[in-house]
Amino acid sequence: MSFNTISLDVAVTDTLYKWIPANLNGSVFWRVRGEKSGVSGYFSNVRYITLYPYEAGEFLSYNNLGFDVIGNLAYLTRNEGSESAPLGAFLVLNVSNPASPYVAGVYTSPSTWPTKFTDIFVEGEYAYVVDSIWGLRIFNVLNLQSINEAGFWQVYPSSTYSIFVQNRYAYLLVGSGGVTHLEILNVSYPSNPVMLGDIRIDGSRRVFVSGNYAFVARGTLGVSILDISSPSNPRLISNIVTSVSYT
């Protein structure tokens, strides 16, 4: 990206350009390289700025399948136990200092039955977690020291794939035997989710919602766009076939 005039006034030792740690638009994940304008020892009136991603920090974990970030908190699903008897779990990381993230909260399923957490979406005080074995689990995360399950939507024996939540509506991809559906749930009362609408979209992998539209990634079938302005009657608008193998 380029700019006509930018004054950085950063002392340099070389004659061409310098890496400058930057916080652009609230992001700490970029560095800046500028071309020197001829002012000896400084970048001044820099003509070109190039953004380069770099690793600002890391947190070592394992068996992680889904994540969401809200403010300074990152929510990360993981699976413990064994392959035959998995136990779904998720971590809440404080990432206010990206160079030194730390665990601020954790939830691990009881060992009563197998669970497998694969996707997570956080809105308000609730985390909506895909348990691919059983369905949708809703957790109250207002108190990170005491995370508790506030609601549950069962889809078993079908499988659950992906979740997106907007304005107390949950958009859930479920499937079995090669047939997949988008279910629209009213989760205004997390303890009692209510299904409002359903539409068959085979091959669905991920769902993203913006306003009155849902965008469903369907692997080799491309992307489907749905009109969800009426949650009880979602409608397919169009299919986009992508030029690559998977979406």
Side-chain angles (χ1 to χ4, degrees), residues 38-184:
V39 179
S40 178
Y42 285 89
F43 283 114
S44 183
N45 296 330
V46 176
R47 187 171 180 79
Y48 298 102
I49 296 293
T50 306
L51 300 181
Y52 290 85
Y54 75 103
E55 186 174 289
E58 67 176 359
F59 180 85
L60 298 180
S61 185
Y62 59 91
N63 293 335
N64 308 119
L65 295 174
F67 75 96
D68 196 10
V69 180
I70 303 295
N72 289 325
L73 297 176
Y75 298 78
L76 182 68
T77 65
R78 61 187 286 175
N79 289 284
E80 302 174 354
S82 64
E83 186 68 27
S84 60
L87 290 178
F90 67 90
L91 304 177
V92 185
L93 307 179
N94 187 309
V95 292
S96 55
N97 178 5
S100 184
Y102 64 88
V103 176
V106 61
Y107 176 88
T108 302
S109 300
S111 57
T112 311
W113 53 77
T115 55
K116 188 174 183 179
F117 292 177
T118 56
D119 197 13
I120 187 169
F121 193 100
V122 180
E123 184 178 75
E125 62 191 68
Y126 295 101
Y128 302 82
V129 178
V130 167
D131 179 345
S132 63
I133 298 175
W134 294 100
L136 174 65
R137 299 187 180 275
I138 305 173
F139 296 90
N140 189 313
V141 292
L142 189 61
N143 181 356
L144 295 180
Q145 301 306 309
S146 182
I147 298 171
N148 62 85
E149 188 167 349
F152 173 63
W153 176 258
Q154 182 173 320
V155 303
Y156 179 85
S158 295
S159 298
T160 318
Y161 304 124
S162 178
I163 179 70
F164 196 98
V165 181
Q166 177 181 267
N167 299 329
R168 294 299 188 183
Y169 291 106
Y171 302 84
L172 189 66
L173 290 179
V174 302
S176 177
V179 176
T180 49
H181 290 252
L182 174 67
E183 294 184 353
I184 303 177

Side-chain angles (χ1 to χ4, degrees), residues 18-29:
K18 178 179 175 63
W19 292 102
I20 308 167
N23 187 334
L24 300 180
N25 299 323
S27 171
V28 296
F29 300 103

